[in-house]
Amino acid sequence: MDMQGVVGVYSKQGACTKSLHVLYGVQHRGQESSGLTAAGDNSLRTWKGKGLASGVFSERFRSFMHPNDYAVIGCASGENADNGFPPVESRHHGRFVFSVALDGYFPREGGTNEEVVARSLHQYLSKGHGFTDALAETMRKHRDAYYSLVACVWDREESVSRLYAARDERGVRPLYVAANDASSYVASESAPIDVLENMGEHFTVRRDVTPGSILCIDDGGIEETQVLEPRRAHCVFEWVYFGRPDSVIEGRTVHAARKALGHALVELHGLRDEYGITEGTPDDLVVIPVPDSGRSVCTGVAEGLGFTADEGVIKNAYMGRTYIIDNPEFRKLASDLKHNVIRETVDGKKVIITDDSIVRGTVSESIAQNLIKAGAREVEFLVSYAPIFHPCFSDPPDKPLAARPYEGKSLEEIGSLISQGLPSINRVRYNDEEHILEAVGLPRDHICTYCVSGRSPFKP
Ligand code: 5GP
Ligand code: MG
């Protein structure tokens, strides 16, 4: 279930700078490496490195920007940097040179996802297909893959650069497009497009890229080709955790969906009665989020309970990611270094703490331990997602999942079994699939809940 942020810009003015502006806005989707490829001036140039875009694209990057680079793609990747990272540039010694980056997964093939796509494109290009055709054929051939893809192409024959975007027929990962007469933008999410608008850009086009379609963008504007009929299976975790709260994915604001998940928890578990809430804020109870992923759900829970949430755990924003650390000992160390508790908020109180998900439970237990040390009487976890039983298609099948052994048991029972395994946590309450789908609010057969339900959109 790993993700990546992708961006694309077509503009005759400052395409590189603009793409960097958008890249900052998708950095939450991957922090291991950052890269851009520019197409123009008879060539393709890629600039990439380990770490955040703000570090990789220093002053030295200026020498990379050419005035005739019109098509630029970029990505913020969670890819282990030692395996090589995207974008992947491909020097086809025919008519086209191109570079690809994607957020998604191609099963059962050698190399990185981008290398699989590049190989397939080569294969069709060398048969004489045009680039759009080669991409369409690649999409038809890989019906079991999912991808939100960007590519920039230098066409040697016509001496023009083009930007491409494509999204798999299920639309598992988000992809957004915005355009005006002068420029077109593609990005994993809508939030960085808002930022451009705030900075003075006006758009006549603003929408999700249709699943199964290709956008070819150049001087002539956007040309759309619907290659495959949409068979929507949007990953539900985009609204639960992956997406920025300020993004709108398929018409649904992520923050609003998360708040609805909070309301759902209150309703599903009858929490007002459970906590004996009559009026106002009870003085022996406090509701706080795990920052930042538990924030929006916390607002929803507080709204549902009828009182204000507080801040009790503060995150050191400079510590980076704890989730991707495999070794549980190091993950606990990283979490301990990253989180501190405001004693005054929690001392002597029953602490209700919200988070989006419990995967292995290490982070939750370490936070709960520190809440107890700061004087919390009890710690109850409210989890906006449901127990996860099935590793996602792109995850190793033996991925450790705390709830996996308990599939088939009731929500209540799973919550109590999980909390038994996490000594500092008195209680864990989850959402169920029904309430999650309702909170997201899209037609339920358009949403993938495989990790919860085991129903795969890839197996009819
Ligand atoms: P764990 O239970 O494994 O110790 O960690 C759970 C935490 O990791 C949650 O707070 C959640 O926000 C975050 N998380 C859950 N799934 C993912 C994922 O697929 N990728 C990343 N980067 N973080 C995740
Ligand atoms: Mg989290």
Side-chain angles (χ1 to χ4, degrees):
M1 262 197 307
D2 221 357
M3 50 175 180
Q4 189 154 299
V6 295
V7 306
V9 175
Y10 186 91
S11 176
K12 291 209 154 172
Q13 257 192 342
C16 281
T17 309
K18 287 171 172 169
S19 62
L20 189 50
H21 290 169
V22 186
L23 189 59
Y24 289 134
V26 299
Q27 188 85 72
H28 63 293
R29 299 182 69 87
Q31 290 106 49
E32 295 302 295
S33 64
S34 309
L36 291 175
T37 300
D41 273 349
N42 294 309
S43 72
L44 214 63
R45 276 157 297 111
T46 298
W47 181 292
K48 58 187 175 182
K50 287 189 189 189
L52 306 180
S54 54
V56 172
F57 297 97
S58 59
E59 267 305 300
R60 285 180 302 131
F61 176 62
R62 285 189 185 285
S63 63
F64 170 94
M65 301 193 240
H66 292 194
N68 293 332
D69 290 333
Y70 298 154
V72 182
I73 62 156
C75 67
S77 174
E79 208 57 54
N80 180 343
D82 298 330
N83 298 336
F85 39 83
V88 169
E89 216 186 274
S90 195
R91 302 204 162 269
H92 188 252
H93 294 290
R95 179 173 161 190
F96 302 101
V97 285
F98 62 89
S99 177
V100 196
L102 68 90
D103 177 18
Y105 178 58
F106 282 74
R108 291 186 306 278
E109 296 255 4
T112 66
N113 295 313
E114 281 82 2
E115 284 163 358
V116 173
V117 172
R119 265 207 309 275
S120 173
L121 288 170
H122 275 307
Q123 195 191 323
Y124 291 112
L125 291 174
S126 51
K127 287 182 191 158
H129 287 270
F131 199 85
T132 306
D133 265 4
L135 187 51
E137 287 304 323
T138 299
M139 291 169 75
R140 288 190 194 101
K141 183 172 141 204
H142 293 273
R143 301 291 294 272
D144 59 350
Y146 65 88
Y147 45 84
S148 284
L149 176 152
V150 289
C152 61
V153 179
W154 174 254
D155 182 337
R156 294 171 146 156
E157 212 168 280
E158 294 184 13
S159 283
V160 294
S161 40
R162 291 192 190 89
L163 172 69
Y164 281 87
R167 196 174 176 205
D168 69 287
E169 65 200 287
R170 295 174 182 85
V172 174
R173 294 277 168 256
L175 194 61
Y176 200 81
V177 58
N180 54 38
D181 287 343
S183 316
S184 298
Y185 297 88
V186 178
S188 288
E189 295 182 29
S190 67
I193 303 299
D194 291 345
V195 170
L196 296 175
E197 276 186 334
N198 298 340
M199 290 164 70
E201 286 252 25
H202 297 281
F203 296 114
T204 47
V205 174
R206 266 200 74 136
R207 62 176 175 89
D208 297 280
V209 174
T210 310
S213 74
I214 295 176
L215 304 181
C216 169
I217 304 169
D218 61 17
D219 240 2
I222 302 179
E223 190 180 74
E224 182 171 12
T225 310
Q226 192 69 44
V227 179
L228 298 165
E229 272 307 300
R231 296 197 288 162
R232 291 173 185 273
H234 308 304
C235 170
V236 71
F237 217 55
E238 291 290 342
W239 289 275
V240 173
Y241 170 76
F242 289 154
R244 280 172 59 150
D246 51 336
S247 283
V248 182
I249 304 176
E250 299 299 334
R252 179 63 164 151
T253 299
V254 172
H255 174 67
R258 289 181 190 167
K259 275 209 303 186
L261 288 166
H263 281 274
L265 280 165
V266 173
E267 185 202 316
L268 176 61
H269 298 285
L271 293 182
R272 278 188 67 89
D273 289 343
E274 185 73 37
Y275 301 148
I277 292 160
T278 45
E279 226 173 278
T281 309
D283 53 11
D284 57 346
L285 196 71
V286 67
V287 179
I288 60 171
V290 173
D292 294 311
S293 56
R295 273 233 154 85
S296 299
V297 60
C298 190
T299 306
V301 166
E303 279 178 3
L305 290 175
F307 59 84
T308 328
D310 205 344
E311 295 286 346
V313 176
I314 298 301
K315 175 174 109 175
N316 177 340
Y318 304 96
M319 282 298 298
R321 300 215 292 176
T322 41
Y323 180 84
I324 53 165
I325 305 169
D326 281 333
N327 182 321
E329 218 171 296
F330 288 146
R331 201 157 64 241
K332 173 165 173 20
L333 174 67
S335 173
D336 282 341
L337 289 171
K338 185 155 119 180
H339 298 111
N340 186 30
V341 175
I342 302 175
R343 177 175 286 272
E344 216 167 297
T345 304
V346 303
D347 195 8
K349 306 258 173 80
K350 171 170 175 158
V351 175
I352 316 292
I353 185 161
T354 61
D355 204 358
D356 63 290
S357 59
I358 292 181
V359 182
R360 294 148 301 193
T362 328
V363 172
S364 350
E365 171 60 19
S366 121
I367 289 173
Q369 251 173 37
N370 294 322
L371 289 168
I372 301 282
K373 282 183 196 153
R377 277 196 293 109
E378 263 180 70
V379 176
E380 179 160 327
F381 257 80
L382 298 183
V383 181
S384 64
Y385 202 46
I388 299 172
F389 302 124
H390 307 276
C392 190
F393 317 105
S394 52
D395 281 333
D398 58 349
K399 178 176 181 170
L401 298 169
R404 172 134 63 167
Y406 311 134
E407 185 174 14
K409 296 189 188 300
S410 78
L411 211 55
E412 199 74 4
E413 228 179 317
I414 297 167
S416 90
L417 285 162
I418 292 290
S419 62
Q420 276 166 36
L422 304 171
S424 310
I425 301 178
N426 297 78
R427 190 142 198 178
V428 175
R429 294 179 206 263
Y430 291 101
N431 250 320
D432 65 10
E433 191 195 359
E434 251 335 275
H435 285 79
I436 291 166
L437 287 169
E438 203 160 297
V440 170
L442 294 176
R444 46 191 61 209
D445 59 346
H446 287 183
I447 301 291
C448 177
T449 56
Y450 174 74
C451 57
V452 169
S453 66
R455 278 194 317 278
S456 167
F458 294 92
K459 293 188 194 106

